[in-house]
Amino acid sequence: MAAAAAKIAPSMLSSDFSNLATEAQRMLDCGADWLHMDIMCSHFVPNLTIGAPVIESLRKHTKAYLDCHLMVTNPLDYVESFGKAGASGFTFHIEAARENWNELIQKIKAKGMKPGVSLKPGTPIEEVYPLVEGENHVDLVLVMTVEPGFGGQKFMPEMMDKVRRLRQKYPSLDIEVDGGLGPSTIDAAASAGANCIVAGSSVFGAPEPAQVISLMRNRVEGVKAAW
């Protein structure tokens, strides 16, 4: 079974929101594979960001894969609007969907989006195994390497054990990490088995974002054989 391909997803939460379409294109020109969109409802996490109308507006300006991470209390309520808006991936939190994840995955797929599941640092990795192994399964697992809610936080290396365990069980799964990723932390994430890398301030704050994106992709590709 082939190893999952490296995908670098700049977090648009760190972009200049007043020029979102321009910033999105700049990241793609710098080599980004996906654009990571952080959706926060202010209930599940103590912050409020963007919703489906912004995704819909951005979709008019790009064909890029819009990797939407929903940090919301009732993800089922957002499936239809994000599907209509043009979201590519819809990643929900297991903590907000323990009772209805099967229905949620079905509806995400029915709207033409790729389903993913995320978990907070304090949530055991075992909670997502049924969502990966079920007949109606997710395509991606996002391991948060910071507490969700705000950008610019420090990477939590202890979360790499979750990534390692996922990679050992699921060799071809898309495993995403989000929080504090950059040149100083990419090696830990890549060697543990993460292939989808979300990076915000380390990319947008770099003098040469293309170099940072290229470095992270090369580090992932360079260790895949060891997974």
Side-chain angles (χ1 to χ4, degrees):
M1 197 174 288
K7 301 178 185 78
I8 310 302
S11 174
M12 301 306 290
L13 186 64
S14 295
S15 73
D16 176 0
F17 271 23
S18 67
N19 293 291
L20 193 56
T22 302
E23 290 278 72
Q25 188 58 51
R26 181 166 72 98
M27 289 298 106
L28 296 170
D29 291 343
C30 286
D33 301 284
W34 292 353
L35 299 175
H36 189 79
M37 314 299 296
D38 286 302
I39 318 301
M40 306 181 195
C41 72
S42 80
H43 298 288
F44 186 76
V45 290
N47 198 2
L48 181 66
T49 56
I50 61 172
V54 174
I55 301 299
E56 184 177 8
S57 295
L58 182 57
R59 176 53 77 206
K60 294 173 184 175
H61 298 277
T62 184
K63 295 180 179 178
Y65 188 96
L66 299 181
D67 176 37
C68 297
H69 173 201
L70 283 88
M71 290 160 272
V72 299
T73 305
N74 298 302
L76 202 56
D77 294 344
Y78 295 78
V79 175
E80 185 165 348
S81 61
F82 274 79
K84 285 182 179 177
S88 308
F90 186 111
T91 297
F92 59 89
H93 268 265
I94 185 60
E95 300 89 356
R98 289 188 173 106
E99 306 302 319
N100 62 357
W101 58 262
N102 195 49
E103 178 189 4
L104 182 54
I105 292 170
Q106 286 180 335
K107 291 196 171 180
I108 292 168
K109 289 181 176 179
K111 291 298 178 181
M113 297 177 288
K114 286 186 175 293
V117 64
S118 182
L119 65 162
K120 292 181 176 183
T123 301
I125 193 63
E126 291 84 0
E127 285 205 32
V128 304
Y129 292 168
L131 286 71
V132 180
E133 296 172 2
E135 184 177 339
N136 196 33
H137 60 81
V138 294
D139 294 333
L140 172 147
V141 175
L142 167 54
V143 176
M144 291 302 298
T145 48
V146 297
E147 286 294 340
F150 294 93
Q153 296 185 67
K154 191 176 179 181
F155 178 77
M156 300 169 69
E158 60 272 27
M159 292 301 109
M160 292 306 95
D161 182 58
K162 292 181 180 179
V163 175
R164 260 182 231 103
R165 290 166 67 189
L166 279 174
R167 183 56 70 205
Q168 287 167 1
K169 283 178 72 68
Y170 313 112
S172 61
L173 178 68
D174 273 334
I175 301 174
E176 189 168 53
V177 285
D178 181 4
L181 274 301
S184 65
T185 53
I186 184 61
D187 287 339
S191 62
N195 68 295
C196 301
I197 311 297
V198 178
S201 51
S202 67
V203 170
F204 283 95
E208 298 291 342
Q211 292 182 7
V212 177
I213 290 172
S214 176
L215 179 149
M216 292 193 290
R217 179 182 291 103
N218 290 341
R219 295 292 172 83
V220 173
E221 293 292 350
V223 298
K224 276 170 55 176
W227 293 344

